[in-house]
Amino acid sequence: MNETDKKWMRKAIRLSLTSVAAGGGPFGAVIVKDGKEVASGHNMVTLKNDPTAHAEVSAIRKAAKKLNTFDLSGCEIYTSCEPCPMCLSAIYWSRIDKIYYANTKSDAKNIGFDDSFIYDQLELPKEKRAVPITQMLRNEAIEAFETWSQKTDKIEY
């Protein structure tokens, strides 16, 4: 870890403190490309009444808009805490190259942000999960997949 990495992580940490002061959760994130900040964000879940408005997702949304692409290859993310399952998925989907984090998921669990139940749920058979999940109308829905599969001008992601 070099001084530049520390600079970006310190910004993510400052954002986490800004979030707490504003009434949000203690999380901040910065996305960097070629040594320059592309976007940053902090937790806005309670401020926006949006359960997906985590720091990392907020920063990813801003970065994608600013760069006008869904592919954030070449970017790195500095986040004040080890990403939760949703944020980790968003990071992978956006193709960010590297993740730096400060606090651990255990640190988050110790203050009431415990995501272990999500990992536990994924391991269970669908019929034993806490939120009921029912498949239906696949024979109708498959048409969209077939149409996509045959499309020659699609933008794959």
Side-chain angles (χ1 to χ4, degrees):
M1 157 180 21
N2 60 41
E3 289 305 312
T4 302
D5 292 330
K6 289 178 184 177
K7 173 182 101 169
W8 295 121
M9 183 57 73
R10 286 185 177 117
K11 177 156 187 185
I13 293 166
R14 281 193 309 275
L15 286 164
S16 71
L17 291 165
T18 298
S19 183
V20 172
F27 306 98
V30 181
I31 295 176
V32 174
K33 184 173 186 174
D34 299 325
K36 295 180 181 150
E37 180 178 336
V38 175
S40 64
H42 63 81
N43 184 283
M44 301 282 286
V45 170
T46 57
L47 301 172
K48 289 189 171 186
N49 291 319
D50 178 354
T52 68
H54 290 201
E56 297 92 335
V57 171
S58 296
I60 288 168
R61 287 175 179 157
K62 289 178 188 176
K65 185 174 183 177
K66 182 174 182 178
L67 297 175
N68 196 32
T69 182
F70 57 83
D71 184 345
L72 299 180
S73 296
C75 293
E76 300 174 331
I77 189 165
Y78 295 80
T79 179
S80 65
C81 187
E82 187 174 357
C84 75
M86 178 185 68
C87 292
L88 187 60
S89 296
I91 290 165
Y92 276 95
W93 278 115
S94 65
R95 298 184 180 111
I96 288 174
D97 291 350
K98 190 165 185 179
I99 304 166
Y100 297 89
Y101 68 93
N103 293 317
T104 67
K105 62 185 177 181
S106 294
D107 296 329
K109 180 179 181 177
N110 290 340
I111 62 163
F113 293 93
D114 185 6
D115 298 319
S116 58
F117 75 97
I118 296 172
Y119 294 110
D120 295 342
Q121 287 292 303
L122 291 172
E123 295 297 320
L124 293 173
K126 290 175 187 156
E127 64 276 2
K128 292 190 176 185
R129 293 182 184 167
V131 176
I133 182 169
T134 303
Q135 182 183 21
M136 56 186 289
L137 300 179
R138 179 182 177 272
N139 59 330
E140 294 177 29
I142 200 72
E143 180 182 351
F145 279 20
E146 291 166 347
T147 302
W148 170 261
S149 180
Q150 296 167 8
K151 192 171 169 63
T152 57
D153 62 343
K154 61 187 166 209
I155 298 172
E156 298 201 28
Y157 57 96

